[in-house]
């Protein structure tokens, strides 16, 4: 019975450690409320995307019209901004 409680105790300590670490390591990326599902963007233009994150944090943006995600790094104040080129109208968009 002692072995059972030792194993359960070790498991609980590990679970608590992982929970605390995962909460601390979580990203705090935020964008303005104007960004939402089904928003419409001007075709064939450069559109600004911006937001806030932890300083130095890498933010990955994946627009559905682009095959690869775009990475941007938050500055020392936690601000990030990137200009993305939009495609012509038509197709699946």
């Amino acid at each position: 019975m002692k072995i059972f409680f030792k194993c359960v105790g070790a498991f609980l300590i590990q679970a608590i450690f992982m929970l605390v670490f995962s909460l601390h390591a979580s990203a705090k990326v935020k964008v303005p409320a104007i960004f939402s599902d089904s928003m419409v963007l001007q075709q064939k233009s450069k559109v600004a995307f911006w937001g806030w994150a932890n300083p130095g944090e890498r933010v990955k943006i994946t627009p559905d019209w682009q095959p690869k995600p775009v990475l941007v790094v938050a500055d020392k104040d936690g601000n990030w901004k990137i200009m993305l080129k939009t495609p012509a109208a038509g197709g699946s968009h």
Side-chain angles (χ1 to χ4, degrees):
M1 197 68 150
K2 280 185 173 182
I3 294 174
F4 173 76
F5 286 117
K6 283 184 180 180
C7 291
V8 171
F11 174 76
L12 286 176
I13 290 171
Q14 287 177 343
I16 291 170
F17 176 76
M18 288 190 305
L19 177 65
V20 169
F21 180 73
S22 67
L23 291 175
H24 183 271
S26 66
K28 301 285 184 191
V29 177
K30 295 180 183 178
V31 294
I34 63 169
F35 296 116
S36 65
D37 293 342
S38 302
M39 63 186 284
V40 178
L41 302 173
Q42 179 69 38
Q43 68 169 329
K44 296 192 282 184
S45 65
K46 286 189 175 182
V47 179
F49 288 86
W50 70 94
W52 308 273
N54 294 329
E57 186 167 356
R58 292 174 25 173
V59 178
K60 181 169 68 170
I61 301 169
T62 310
D64 65 352
W65 67 86
Q66 222 168 279
K68 293 182 180 179
V70 180
L71 293 176
V72 62
V73 178
D75 66 15
K76 64 179 176 66
D77 297 320
N79 302 310
W80 59 268
K81 181 179 179 180
I82 191 162
M83 302 294 287
L84 294 179
K85 216 172 176 184
T86 58
S92 63
H93 300 92

